[in-house]
Amino acid sequence: MDADVTDSAGPPSDPDRPAEDKPQDRSRDRSREESGRPEDEAPGGTTSEGPSPEGPAPEDGAPQDDAPQEEGPAAPEADAETGEGDSTEGVPAESGPKAGAEGGPKAAADADGVQTWADRPKDGIVAARKSHWLRWTALAAAFLVLVAAGVGWWMYKKLDGNITTDTSAAAELKAYEKERPAPVVMDAQNILLIGSDSRAGDNRKYGRDDGGSQRSDTTILLHLAADRKSATAVSIPRDLMVEIPSCSTGDDKKSREQFTQFNTAFELGGTACTIRTVERMTGIRIDHHMVVDFNGFKGMVDAVDGVEICLKEPIDDKDAHLELPAGRQTLNGEEALGYVRARKSLGNGSDTERMERQQQFLGALVNKMQSNGVLLNPTRLYPVLDAATKSLTTDPGLDSLRDLYDLVRGMRDVPTEQVQFLTVPRQPYRNNPNRDELVEPDAGDLFKQLREDKPVAVVPADELEEAERDKESGQDGKPDDAGSESPTPTPTYSGSSAADDLCKQ
Protein backbone atom coordinates (compact mmCIF):
# COMPACT_ATOMS: atom_id res chain seq x y z
CA MET A 1 0.00 0.00 0.00
CA ASP A 2 2.82 2.36 0.88
CA ALA A 3 4.60 1.42 -2.30
CA ASP A 4 1.55 2.27 -4.27
CA VAL A 5 1.32 5.64 -2.62
CA THR A 6 5.01 6.28 -3.19
CA ASP A 7 4.75 5.37 -6.86
CA SER A 8 1.84 7.61 -7.40
CA ALA A 9 3.58 10.47 -5.70
CA GLY A 10 6.83 9.96 -7.60
CA PRO A 11 10.21 8.55 -6.50
CA PRO A 12 11.84 9.75 -3.26
CA SER A 13 13.78 12.91 -3.64
CA ASP A 14 17.52 12.71 -3.35
CA PRO A 15 19.21 15.99 -2.44
CA ASP A 16 22.34 14.99 -4.35
CA ARG A 17 20.53 13.85 -7.42
CA PRO A 18 18.32 16.23 -9.41
CA ALA A 19 14.99 15.06 -10.59
CA GLU A 20 14.86 13.50 -14.01
CA ASP A 21 14.17 16.06 -16.71
CA LYS A 22 10.74 15.19 -17.96
CA PRO A 23 8.09 17.20 -19.69
CA GLN A 24 5.97 17.05 -16.55
CA ASP A 25 8.82 18.51 -14.49
CA ARG A 26 9.27 21.34 -16.95
CA SER A 27 5.56 22.08 -16.73
CA ARG A 28 5.87 22.21 -12.96
CA ASP A 29 8.86 24.49 -13.21
CA ARG A 30 6.94 26.85 -15.42
CA SER A 31 4.01 26.80 -12.97
CA ARG A 32 6.33 27.63 -10.10
CA GLU A 33 7.95 30.42 -12.07
CA GLU A 34 4.57 31.91 -12.92
CA SER A 35 3.53 31.78 -9.26
CA GLY A 36 6.76 33.32 -8.05
CA ARG A 37 8.11 30.14 -6.34
CA PRO A 38 11.77 29.11 -6.49
CA GLU A 39 12.78 26.75 -9.24
CA ASP A 40 13.99 23.90 -6.89
CA GLU A 41 11.49 24.44 -4.12
CA ALA A 42 11.71 20.94 -2.63
CA PRO A 43 14.07 18.08 -3.06
CA GLY A 44 11.20 15.66 -3.15
CA GLY A 45 8.88 15.23 -6.10
CA THR A 46 5.60 17.04 -5.85
CA THR A 47 2.51 17.08 -7.89
CA SER A 48 1.28 20.04 -9.83
CA GLU A 49 -0.84 20.79 -6.85
CA GLY A 50 2.17 21.20 -4.50
CA PRO A 51 2.16 23.07 -1.24
CA SER A 52 1.40 26.73 -1.17
CA PRO A 53 3.84 29.36 0.16
CA GLU A 54 2.25 28.86 3.57
CA GLY A 55 2.97 25.12 3.50
CA PRO A 56 5.55 23.22 5.57
CA ALA A 57 9.25 23.71 5.18
CA PRO A 58 11.31 21.28 3.09
CA GLU A 59 12.22 17.92 4.56
CA ASP A 60 15.87 18.87 5.08
CA GLY A 61 14.72 21.28 7.75
CA ALA A 62 16.00 24.40 6.04
CA PRO A 63 13.94 27.40 7.02
CA GLN A 64 11.61 28.70 4.37
CA ASP A 65 13.01 32.17 4.73
CA ASP A 66 16.42 30.93 3.63
CA ALA A 67 15.14 29.92 0.19
CA PRO A 68 15.15 32.64 -2.44
CA GLN A 69 11.72 34.14 -2.82
CA GLU A 70 12.20 35.29 -6.42
CA GLU A 71 14.49 33.86 -9.05
CA GLY A 72 13.25 35.94 -12.01
CA PRO A 73 16.50 37.63 -12.91
CA ALA A 74 18.51 34.44 -12.54
CA ALA A 75 16.24 32.42 -14.78
CA PRO A 76 17.78 33.56 -18.04
CA GLU A 77 21.23 32.39 -16.94
CA ALA A 78 19.88 28.95 -16.12
CA ASP A 79 18.05 28.89 -19.39
CA ALA A 80 21.21 29.78 -21.26
CA GLU A 81 22.81 26.65 -19.72
CA THR A 82 19.97 24.24 -20.38
CA GLY A 83 18.05 25.76 -23.25
CA GLU A 84 14.93 25.54 -21.07
CA GLY A 85 12.64 27.83 -19.23
CA ASP A 86 11.79 30.00 -22.24
CA SER A 87 9.43 27.70 -24.05
CA THR A 88 5.87 28.70 -24.67
CA GLU A 89 2.62 26.90 -24.05
CA GLY A 90 4.15 23.50 -23.36
CA VAL A 91 6.51 23.60 -26.32
CA PRO A 92 10.10 22.58 -25.46
CA ALA A 93 12.44 25.56 -25.14
CA GLU A 94 14.73 24.27 -27.86
CA SER A 95 12.02 24.77 -30.49
CA GLY A 96 10.67 28.07 -29.27
CA PRO A 97 11.22 31.22 -31.29
CA LYS A 98 12.86 32.97 -28.39
CA ALA A 99 15.49 30.30 -27.98
CA GLY A 100 16.86 31.08 -31.42
CA ALA A 101 17.15 34.76 -30.56
CA GLU A 102 18.50 34.47 -27.01
CA GLY A 103 19.79 30.94 -26.77
CA GLY A 104 23.41 31.95 -27.34
CA PRO A 105 26.14 30.04 -29.15
CA LYS A 106 25.33 26.74 -27.53
CA ALA A 107 21.72 26.86 -28.71
CA ALA A 108 22.92 27.72 -32.22
CA ALA A 109 25.25 24.77 -32.22
CA ASP A 110 22.70 22.32 -30.75
CA ALA A 111 22.38 19.61 -33.36
CA ASP A 112 19.12 18.36 -31.91
CA GLY A 113 17.43 21.77 -31.94
CA VAL A 114 15.93 23.64 -34.95
CA GLN A 115 17.78 26.91 -35.67
CA THR A 116 15.21 29.62 -36.36
CA TRP A 117 17.83 31.85 -38.07
CA ALA A 118 19.08 29.08 -40.31
CA ASP A 119 17.91 31.01 -43.32
CA ARG A 120 20.31 33.85 -42.64
CA PRO A 121 23.28 32.17 -44.34
CA LYS A 122 21.13 31.71 -47.45
CA ASP A 123 20.29 35.41 -47.47
CA GLY A 124 23.99 36.17 -47.18
CA ILE A 125 24.76 33.92 -50.16
CA VAL A 126 22.04 35.60 -52.23
CA ALA A 127 23.35 39.04 -51.30
CA ALA A 128 26.89 38.00 -52.18
CA ARG A 129 25.77 36.60 -55.51
CA LYS A 130 23.80 39.77 -56.26
CA SER A 131 26.80 41.94 -55.42
CA HIS A 132 29.00 39.71 -57.57
CA TRP A 133 26.51 39.98 -60.47
CA LEU A 134 26.33 43.78 -60.14
CA ARG A 135 30.10 44.05 -60.26
CA TRP A 136 30.30 41.96 -63.42
CA THR A 137 27.46 43.94 -65.00
CA ALA A 138 29.27 47.20 -64.29
CA LEU A 139 32.50 45.82 -65.73
CA ALA A 140 30.70 44.56 -68.86
CA ALA A 141 28.98 47.92 -69.35
CA ALA A 142 32.27 49.77 -68.94
CA PHE A 143 33.89 47.40 -71.45
CA LEU A 144 31.10 47.97 -73.99
CA VAL A 145 31.40 51.73 -73.57
CA LEU A 146 35.16 51.52 -74.17
CA VAL A 147 34.65 49.32 -77.23
CA ALA A 148 31.98 51.68 -78.65
CA ALA A 149 34.21 54.67 -78.01
CA GLY A 150 37.11 52.88 -79.67
CA VAL A 151 35.04 51.93 -82.71
CA GLY A 152 33.62 55.45 -82.94
CA TRP A 153 37.09 56.96 -82.74
CA TRP A 154 38.40 54.50 -85.36
CA MET A 155 35.51 55.34 -87.71
CA TYR A 156 36.07 59.05 -87.20
CA LYS A 157 39.81 58.76 -87.89
CA LYS A 158 39.16 56.57 -90.93
CA LEU A 159 36.72 59.04 -92.51
CA ASP A 160 38.90 61.95 -91.54
CA GLY A 161 41.91 60.29 -93.12
CA ASN A 162 40.06 59.63 -96.39
CA ILE A 163 39.87 63.33 -97.22
CA THR A 164 42.64 64.90 -99.31
CA THR A 165 43.48 68.53 -98.57
CA ASP A 166 44.23 70.81 -101.51
CA THR A 167 46.85 73.09 -99.96
CA SER A 168 48.25 74.29 -103.29
CA ALA A 169 44.91 75.84 -104.31
CA ALA A 170 44.64 77.59 -100.95
CA ALA A 171 48.16 79.02 -101.37
CA GLU A 172 47.44 80.37 -104.87
CA LEU A 173 44.10 81.87 -103.86
CA LYS A 174 45.84 83.62 -101.00
CA ALA A 175 48.37 85.08 -103.42
CA TYR A 176 45.52 86.58 -105.50
CA GLU A 177 43.41 87.68 -102.55
CA LYS A 178 43.31 91.35 -103.65
CA GLU A 179 41.52 90.56 -106.92
CA ARG A 180 38.93 88.23 -105.37
CA PRO A 181 35.39 89.51 -104.62
CA ALA A 182 34.49 90.20 -101.00
CA PRO A 183 31.73 88.24 -99.22
CA VAL A 184 28.38 90.07 -99.19
CA VAL A 185 26.27 87.94 -96.81
CA MET A 186 28.46 86.44 -94.14
CA ASP A 187 26.32 83.42 -93.15
CA ALA A 188 25.62 82.33 -96.71
CA GLN A 189 27.90 79.67 -98.21
CA ASN A 190 29.07 79.33 -101.82
CA ILE A 191 30.74 76.01 -102.59
CA LEU A 192 32.18 75.04 -105.96
CA LEU A 193 31.63 71.33 -106.74
CA ILE A 194 33.91 69.96 -109.43
CA GLY A 195 33.41 66.53 -110.99
CA SER A 196 36.77 65.37 -112.28
CA ASP A 197 36.89 63.11 -115.33
CA SER A 198 40.53 62.12 -114.95
CA ARG A 199 41.23 58.80 -116.70
CA ALA A 200 44.14 57.96 -114.42
CA GLY A 201 44.18 54.93 -112.07
CA ASP A 202 40.80 53.24 -111.54
CA ASN A 203 39.13 55.70 -113.92
CA ARG A 204 41.16 54.50 -116.92
CA LYS A 205 38.31 52.29 -118.17
CA TYR A 206 36.14 55.38 -118.79
CA GLY A 207 38.33 56.77 -121.57
CA ARG A 208 41.78 57.60 -122.85
CA ASP A 209 44.35 58.77 -120.28
CA ASP A 210 46.18 61.86 -121.53
CA GLY A 211 49.09 61.55 -119.14
CA GLY A 212 46.83 61.69 -116.09
CA SER A 213 45.44 65.11 -116.97
CA GLN A 214 42.17 66.23 -115.40
CA ARG A 215 39.16 67.96 -116.90
CA SER A 216 36.16 69.43 -115.14
CA ASP A 217 33.48 67.20 -116.60
CA THR A 218 30.85 68.82 -114.33
CA THR A 219 31.06 72.06 -112.36
CA ILE A 220 28.29 73.22 -110.03
CA LEU A 221 28.11 76.39 -107.96
CA LEU A 222 26.14 75.47 -104.81
CA HIS A 223 24.64 78.40 -102.91
CA LEU A 224 23.37 77.71 -99.36
CA ALA A 225 21.12 80.48 -98.07
CA ALA A 226 22.10 82.11 -94.81
CA ASP A 227 18.91 80.85 -93.14
CA ARG A 228 19.54 77.34 -94.56
CA LYS A 229 16.00 77.21 -95.93
CA SER A 230 17.05 76.85 -99.55
CA ALA A 231 19.89 75.54 -101.66
CA THR A 232 20.51 76.48 -105.29
CA ALA A 233 22.84 74.47 -107.53
CA VAL A 234 23.88 76.22 -110.73
CA SER A 235 25.57 74.16 -113.45
CA ILE A 236 28.27 75.82 -115.53
CA PRO A 237 28.63 74.25 -119.00
CA ARG A 238 32.12 72.99 -119.72
CA ASP A 239 31.92 74.46 -123.25
CA LEU A 240 30.91 77.93 -122.03
CA MET A 241 33.19 80.63 -123.43
CA VAL A 242 34.69 82.68 -120.57
CA GLU A 243 37.67 84.82 -119.62
CA ILE A 244 40.31 82.69 -117.85
CA PRO A 245 42.93 84.62 -115.87
CA SER A 246 46.63 83.88 -115.85
CA CYS A 247 47.09 80.83 -113.60
CA SER A 248 49.96 78.84 -112.13
CA THR A 249 50.48 75.56 -113.96
CA GLY A 250 51.83 72.31 -112.65
CA ASP A 251 55.36 72.94 -113.97
CA ASP A 252 55.80 76.16 -111.94
CA LYS A 253 54.94 78.32 -114.92
CA LYS A 254 52.03 80.66 -115.58
CA SER A 255 49.46 80.40 -118.31
CA ARG A 256 48.42 83.44 -120.29
CA GLU A 257 45.08 85.15 -119.78
CA GLN A 258 42.69 83.94 -122.49
CA PHE A 259 39.10 83.75 -123.66
CA THR A 260 38.32 80.08 -124.13
CA GLN A 261 35.99 77.32 -123.04
CA PHE A 262 35.43 76.96 -119.33
CA ASN A 263 36.86 73.50 -118.61
CA THR A 264 40.27 74.62 -119.90
CA ALA A 265 40.78 76.42 -116.58
CA PHE A 266 40.82 73.15 -114.63
CA GLU A 267 43.11 71.48 -117.14
CA LEU A 268 45.60 74.39 -117.05
CA GLY A 269 45.66 75.41 -113.42
CA GLY A 270 43.50 72.98 -111.47
CA THR A 271 41.05 74.01 -108.77
CA ALA A 272 42.52 77.44 -108.02
CA CYS A 273 42.31 78.53 -111.63
CA THR A 274 38.72 77.27 -111.90
CA ILE A 275 37.70 79.17 -108.75
CA ARG A 276 39.26 82.38 -109.96
CA THR A 277 37.50 81.99 -113.31
CA VAL A 278 34.11 81.51 -111.65
CA GLU A 279 34.65 84.45 -109.31
CA ARG A 280 35.60 86.72 -112.22
CA MET A 281 32.53 85.63 -114.21
CA THR A 282 29.94 85.82 -111.38
CA GLY A 283 31.35 88.27 -108.83
CA ILE A 284 30.50 85.64 -106.15
CA ARG A 285 33.08 84.82 -103.49
CA ILE A 286 33.75 81.05 -103.37
CA ASP A 287 34.02 79.97 -99.75
CA HIS A 288 34.90 76.30 -100.25
CA HIS A 289 35.46 73.77 -102.97
CA MET A 290 35.21 70.00 -103.43
CA VAL A 291 36.59 67.81 -106.19
CA VAL A 292 34.92 64.41 -106.56
CA ASP A 293 35.99 61.78 -109.07
CA PHE A 294 34.01 58.97 -110.69
CA ASN A 295 34.51 56.42 -107.93
CA GLY A 296 33.21 58.80 -105.27
CA PHE A 297 30.00 59.34 -107.21
CA LYS A 298 29.45 55.61 -107.74
CA GLY A 299 30.10 54.85 -104.08
CA MET A 300 27.55 57.39 -102.88
CA VAL A 301 24.84 55.92 -105.12
CA ASP A 302 25.60 52.40 -103.91
CA ALA A 303 25.62 53.58 -100.29
CA VAL A 304 21.96 54.64 -100.54
CA ASP A 305 21.02 51.36 -102.29
CA GLY A 306 20.60 52.95 -105.69
CA VAL A 307 18.50 55.74 -107.19
CA GLU A 308 15.24 55.28 -109.08
CA ILE A 309 14.70 56.79 -112.55
CA CYS A 310 12.32 56.34 -115.47
CA LEU A 311 13.42 56.00 -119.09
CA LYS A 312 11.14 56.75 -122.01
CA GLU A 313 13.38 54.76 -124.34
CA PRO A 314 15.96 52.01 -123.84
CA ILE A 315 19.65 52.96 -123.69
CA ASP A 316 22.54 51.13 -125.35
CA ASP A 317 25.69 53.26 -125.07
CA LYS A 318 28.99 51.41 -125.33
CA ASP A 319 31.03 54.56 -124.58
CA ALA A 320 29.16 55.05 -121.31
CA HIS A 321 29.16 51.30 -120.55
CA LEU A 322 25.39 51.50 -120.21
CA GLU A 323 22.59 49.23 -121.42
CA LEU A 324 19.16 49.80 -119.85
CA PRO A 325 15.57 48.97 -120.84
CA ALA A 326 12.80 51.55 -120.89
CA GLY A 327 10.62 52.15 -117.85
CA ARG A 328 11.03 52.58 -114.09
CA GLN A 329 14.18 51.10 -112.56
CA THR A 330 16.77 51.60 -109.83
CA LEU A 331 20.34 52.32 -110.95
CA ASN A 332 23.38 51.18 -109.03
CA GLY A 333 26.57 53.22 -108.88
CA GLU A 334 28.09 52.00 -112.14
CA GLU A 335 24.84 52.40 -114.06
CA ALA A 336 24.23 55.84 -112.54
CA LEU A 337 27.65 57.03 -113.67
CA GLY A 338 26.97 55.89 -117.22
CA TYR A 339 23.54 57.54 -117.14
CA VAL A 340 24.80 61.00 -116.14
CA ARG A 341 27.76 60.82 -118.54
CA ALA A 342 25.93 59.43 -121.59
CA ARG A 343 25.81 61.96 -124.41
CA LYS A 344 25.64 60.44 -127.87
CA SER A 345 22.89 57.92 -127.21
CA LEU A 346 20.43 60.14 -125.31
CA GLY A 347 18.37 63.00 -126.75
CA ASN A 348 20.07 65.29 -129.24
CA GLY A 349 23.56 64.55 -127.90
CA SER A 350 24.11 68.09 -126.62
CA ASP A 351 25.94 68.95 -123.42
CA THR A 352 22.92 71.05 -122.43
CA GLU A 353 20.65 68.03 -122.29
CA ARG A 354 23.25 66.02 -120.42
CA MET A 355 23.49 68.73 -117.73
CA GLU A 356 19.74 68.67 -117.28
CA ARG A 357 19.88 64.88 -116.85
CA GLN A 358 22.66 65.28 -114.29
CA GLN A 359 20.65 67.83 -112.34
CA GLN A 360 17.58 65.59 -112.27
CA PHE A 361 19.60 62.63 -111.09
CA LEU A 362 21.32 64.64 -108.35
CA GLY A 363 17.88 65.83 -107.23
CA ALA A 364 16.69 62.22 -107.04
CA LEU A 365 19.82 61.33 -105.03
CA VAL A 366 19.19 64.15 -102.53
CA ASN A 367 15.53 63.14 -102.25
CA LYS A 368 16.53 59.52 -101.58
CA MET A 369 18.91 60.57 -98.83
CA GLN A 370 16.36 62.81 -97.12
CA SER A 371 13.30 60.60 -97.50
CA ASN A 372 15.14 57.52 -96.17
CA GLY A 373 16.51 59.40 -93.18
CA VAL A 374 20.13 58.97 -94.25
CA LEU A 375 21.14 62.47 -93.19
CA LEU A 376 19.57 61.98 -89.73
CA ASN A 377 20.90 58.48 -89.08
CA PRO A 378 24.65 58.25 -88.34
CA THR A 379 24.60 54.50 -89.06
CA ARG A 380 23.26 55.03 -92.58
CA LEU A 381 25.19 58.25 -93.13
CA TYR A 382 28.55 56.57 -92.48
CA PRO A 383 28.65 54.55 -95.76
CA VAL A 384 27.72 57.69 -97.71
CA LEU A 385 30.46 59.72 -96.05
CA ASP A 386 32.93 56.87 -96.46
CA ALA A 387 32.25 56.65 -100.19
CA ALA A 388 32.36 60.42 -100.62
CA THR A 389 35.51 61.03 -98.59
CA LYS A 390 37.49 58.29 -100.34
CA SER A 391 37.43 60.30 -103.57
CA LEU A 392 37.15 63.79 -102.15
CA THR A 393 39.64 66.64 -102.29
CA THR A 394 38.74 69.84 -100.44
CA ASP A 395 40.16 73.12 -99.25
CA PRO A 396 41.54 73.26 -95.66
CA GLY A 397 38.22 74.67 -94.44
CA LEU A 398 36.38 71.42 -95.29
CA ASP A 399 39.09 68.82 -94.88
CA SER A 400 37.80 67.28 -91.64
CA LEU A 401 34.83 65.07 -90.92
CA ARG A 402 33.54 67.61 -88.42
CA ASP A 403 33.47 70.32 -91.11
CA LEU A 404 31.69 68.06 -93.58
CA TYR A 405 29.17 66.92 -90.98
CA ASP A 406 28.38 70.52 -90.08
CA LEU A 407 27.80 71.21 -93.77
CA VAL A 408 25.50 68.19 -94.19
CA ARG A 409 23.66 68.99 -90.97
CA GLY A 410 22.98 72.49 -92.27
CA MET A 411 21.33 71.02 -95.37
CA ARG A 412 19.26 68.24 -93.82
CA ASP A 413 16.36 70.53 -92.90
CA VAL A 414 16.11 72.17 -96.34
CA PRO A 415 12.79 71.11 -97.95
CA THR A 416 13.34 69.08 -101.10
CA GLU A 417 11.26 71.53 -103.15
CA GLN A 418 13.73 74.25 -102.09
CA VAL A 419 16.75 72.25 -103.33
CA GLN A 420 16.84 73.68 -106.85
CA PHE A 421 18.92 72.89 -109.91
CA LEU A 422 19.43 75.09 -112.96
CA THR A 423 21.98 76.00 -115.60
CA VAL A 424 23.35 79.47 -116.17
CA PRO A 425 21.36 81.22 -118.92
CA ARG A 426 23.31 80.52 -122.11
CA GLN A 427 22.92 80.17 -125.84
CA PRO A 428 25.05 78.91 -128.70
CA TYR A 429 28.19 80.98 -129.12
CA ARG A 430 27.83 83.29 -132.10
CA ASN A 431 31.26 82.37 -133.51
CA ASN A 432 30.97 78.63 -132.90
CA PRO A 433 27.61 76.89 -132.38
CA ASN A 434 29.39 74.01 -130.67
CA ARG A 435 30.25 76.35 -127.79
CA ASP A 436 28.04 78.35 -125.39
CA GLU A 437 27.91 81.94 -124.27
CA LEU A 438 26.03 83.69 -121.45
CA VAL A 439 22.65 85.31 -122.10
CA GLU A 440 22.52 88.79 -120.67
CA PRO A 441 21.01 90.34 -118.63
CA ASP A 442 19.54 87.04 -117.39
CA ALA A 443 22.87 85.61 -116.30
CA GLY A 444 23.85 88.83 -114.54
CA ASP A 445 20.51 88.90 -112.69
CA LEU A 446 21.00 85.34 -111.51
CA PHE A 447 24.50 86.03 -110.19
CA LYS A 448 23.28 89.16 -108.41
CA GLN A 449 20.47 87.22 -106.67
CA LEU A 450 22.91 84.58 -105.40
CA ARG A 451 25.54 87.13 -104.44
CA GLU A 452 23.03 89.01 -102.30
CA ASP A 453 21.43 85.83 -100.96
CA LYS A 454 18.05 86.53 -102.56
CA PRO A 455 15.66 83.84 -103.79
CA VAL A 456 15.33 82.46 -107.28
CA ALA A 457 12.63 80.20 -108.73
CA VAL A 458 12.86 77.32 -111.17
CA VAL A 459 10.23 75.69 -113.40
CA PRO A 460 10.45 73.02 -116.11
CA ALA A 461 11.70 74.30 -119.44
CA ASP A 462 8.41 73.77 -121.29
CA GLU A 463 6.47 75.74 -118.66
CA LEU A 464 8.97 78.58 -118.81
CA GLU A 465 8.75 78.74 -122.62
CA GLU A 466 4.98 78.81 -122.48
CA ALA A 467 5.04 81.60 -119.87
CA GLU A 468 7.41 83.65 -122.05
CA ARG A 469 5.17 83.23 -125.11
CA ASP A 470 2.14 84.34 -123.10
CA LYS A 471 4.04 87.35 -121.83
CA GLU A 472 5.10 88.41 -125.32
CA SER A 473 1.54 88.11 -126.60
CA GLY A 474 0.12 89.94 -123.60
CA GLN A 475 -1.99 86.93 -122.56
CA ASP A 476 -0.52 86.27 -119.15
CA GLY A 477 -3.99 86.13 -117.59
CA LYS A 478 -3.35 89.08 -115.26
CA PRO A 479 -5.18 92.45 -115.26
CA ASP A 480 -3.42 95.39 -116.84
CA ASP A 481 -2.27 97.37 -113.80
CA ALA A 482 0.96 98.77 -115.10
CA GLY A 483 0.29 102.03 -113.29
CA SER A 484 0.40 100.43 -109.84
CA GLU A 485 3.61 99.63 -108.09
CA SER A 486 4.34 95.95 -107.37
CA PRO A 487 7.22 94.16 -105.65
CA THR A 488 10.08 92.98 -107.82
CA PRO A 489 9.17 89.48 -109.02
CA THR A 490 11.46 86.59 -108.18
CA PRO A 491 13.60 85.72 -111.21
CA THR A 492 12.47 82.44 -112.74
CA TYR A 493 14.73 80.07 -114.63
CA SER A 494 14.49 76.75 -116.36
CA GLY A 495 15.35 73.98 -113.94
CA SER A 496 14.11 71.36 -111.49
CA SER A 497 13.95 70.61 -107.80
CA ALA A 498 14.74 67.58 -105.68
CA ALA A 499 11.00 67.08 -105.12
CA ASP A 500 10.33 66.42 -108.81
CA ASP A 501 9.44 62.84 -109.73
CA LEU A 502 11.43 61.78 -112.76
CA CYS A 503 8.78 59.22 -113.65
CA LYS A 504 6.02 61.81 -113.94
CA GLN A 505 7.76 63.99 -116.47
Side-chain angles (χ1 to χ4, degrees):
M1 184 68 175
D2 294 337
D4 295 338
V5 173
T6 304
D7 291 340
S8 62
S13 174
D14 187 348
D16 298 326
R17 180 181 179 185
E20 184 178 356
D21 187 14
K22 295 181 180 180
Q24 303 96 301
D25 298 333
R26 289 195 293 271
S27 299
R28 296 188 196 103
D29 293 341
R30 186 169 59 255
S31 299
R32 293 190 191 98
E33 186 175 1
E34 292 174 356
S35 61
R37 297 173 64 85
E39 187 178 358
D40 56 351
E41 180 180 349
T46 61
T47 64
S48 60
E49 299 172 354
S52 64
E54 292 81 4
E59 290 182 6
D60 59 2
Q64 181 70 22
D65 295 338
D66 292 339
Q69 296 299 317
E70 187 174 353
E71 292 285 335
E77 296 182 6
D79 294 342
E81 295 286 342
T82 63
E84 301 174 1
D86 222 3
S87 59
T88 60
E89 299 298 323
V91 180
E94 299 86 277
S95 62
K98 198 171 182 179
E102 299 177 3
K106 188 173 181 180
D110 188 357
D112 295 334
V114 179
Q115 301 179 16
T116 59
W117 48 281
D119 289 338
R120 286 192 178 182
K122 295 180 182 178
D123 294 340
I125 292 174
V126 172
R129 288 177 177 174
K130 185 175 181 180
S131 176
H132 183 71
W133 180 83
L134 289 174
R135 285 197 300 269
W136 275 105
T137 301
L139 288 174
F143 176 74
L144 291 176
V145 170
L146 289 175
V147 170
V151 171
W153 178 249
W154 175 83
M155 292 170 60
Y156 179 88
K157 296 299 290 183
K158 180 179 184 297
L159 292 175
D160 213 47
N162 286 345
I163 305 171
T164 301
T165 306
D166 188 358
T167 55
S168 60
E172 182 169 353
L173 291 174
K174 186 177 180 179
Y176 290 95
E177 179 63 34
K178 292 183 178 180
E179 72 177 38
R180 300 184 66 192
V184 177
V185 180
M186 300 304 296
D187 292 332
Q189 291 276 305
N190 295 294
I191 304 170
L192 195 65
L193 308 177
I194 302 173
S196 169
D197 67 346
S198 169
R199 302 319 200 267
D202 294 336
N203 295 332
R204 187 176 295 111
K205 65 181 180 179
Y206 299 112
R208 180 170 54 88
D209 178 18
D210 297 330
S213 63
Q214 298 187 85
R215 307 168 192 79
S216 56
D217 186 70
T218 301
T219 302
I220 296 175
L221 173 59
L222 176 63
H223 174 78
L224 300 179
D227 59 7
R228 296 299 187 269
K229 293 183 179 180
S230 66
T232 304
V234 181
S235 295
I236 302 175
R238 64 179 186 176
D239 294 334
L240 182 67
M241 300 298 293
V242 295
E243 289 283 351
I244 298 178
S246 174
C247 300
S248 298
T249 60
D251 53 1
D252 294 332
K253 296 181 180 179
K254 288 188 177 294
S255 64
R256 61 181 179 84
E257 185 172 334
Q258 53 190 305
F259 182 77
T260 185
Q261 63 190 67
F262 174 72
N263 66 345
T264 304
F266 193 75
E267 186 175 0
L268 288 175
T271 305
C273 191
T274 302
I275 292 174
R276 292 176 58 208
T277 301
V278 172
E279 289 183 340
R280 174 177 288 193
M281 177 178 64
T282 65
I284 298 173
R285 171 82 174 210
I286 303 301
D287 301 298
H288 301 290
H289 72 268
M290 297 182 187
V291 180
V292 184
D293 72 9
F294 294 158
N295 287 315
F297 176 80
K298 291 191 303 181
M300 291 179 65
V301 174
D302 287 333
V304 297
D305 300 326
V307 175
E308 187 179 71
I309 65 166
C310 282
L311 297 176
K312 296 179 180 180
E313 298 178 356
I315 299 176
D316 186 6
D317 191 326
K318 292 182 175 56
D319 292 337
H321 304 276
L322 185 65
E323 184 175 354
L324 295 172
R328 183 188 296 265
Q329 55 203 290
T330 300
L331 304 185
N332 61 29
E334 188 71 30
E335 293 169 338
L337 180 62
Y339 177 73
V340 298
R341 295 186 65 250
R343 184 171 181 174
K344 299 178 182 178
S345 60
L346 292 178
N348 57 16
S350 66
D351 195 47
T352 299
E353 190 171 272
R354 182 173 71 161
M355 283 188 297
E356 292 176 353
R357 189 167 62 250
Q358 291 173 351
Q359 293 167 7
Q360 293 172 351
F361 187 87
L362 289 176
L365 176 60
V366 171
N367 194 15
K368 179 73 176 285
M369 294 176 67
Q370 287 195 343
S371 61
N372 285 18
V374 175
L375 298 179
L376 299 176
N377 188 339
T379 303
R380 301 199 63 186
L381 182 60
Y382 174 80
V384 177
L385 290 177
D386 185 43
T389 55
K390 282 180 180 178
S391 303
L392 186 65
T393 301
T394 74
D395 63 279
L398 281 181
D399 66 346
S400 72
L401 186 61
R402 181 187 298 274
D403 296 325
L404 288 177
Y405 182 74
D406 289 342
L407 178 65
V408 172
R409 185 176 58 182
M411 292 186 61
R412 67 186 182 186
D413 294 328
V414 178
T416 52
E417 62 270 12
Q418 291 302 318
V419 180
Q420 303 177 121
F421 298 87
L422 68 151
T423 303
V424 295
R426 84 276 182 225
Q427 62 188 10
Y429 180 45
R430 55 185 177 275
N431 294 330
N432 185 348
N434 294 321
R435 300 288 182 264
D436 289 330
E437 65 179 3
L438 295 176
V439 175
E440 297 294 357
D442 296 349
D445 293 341
L446 172 63
F447 300 148
K448 183 176 184 296
Q449 291 292 113
L450 298 179
R451 186 166 56 246
E452 297 177 357
D453 195 31
K454 294 180 179 180
V456 297
V458 298
V459 296
D462 54 352
E463 293 184 15
L464 182 62
E465 292 175 359
E466 182 179 354
E468 290 178 349
R469 286 196 300 267
D470 293 342
K471 184 178 180 180
E472 291 175 358
S473 62
Q475 299 177 356
D476 56 0
K478 297 180 181 180
D480 187 7
D481 55 353
S484 62
E485 294 185 1
S486 61
T488 303
T490 300
T492 303
Y493 301 91
S494 172
S496 61
S497 76
D500 294 342
D501 187 348
L502 297 182
C503 294
K504 294 182 178 179
Q505 297 181 3

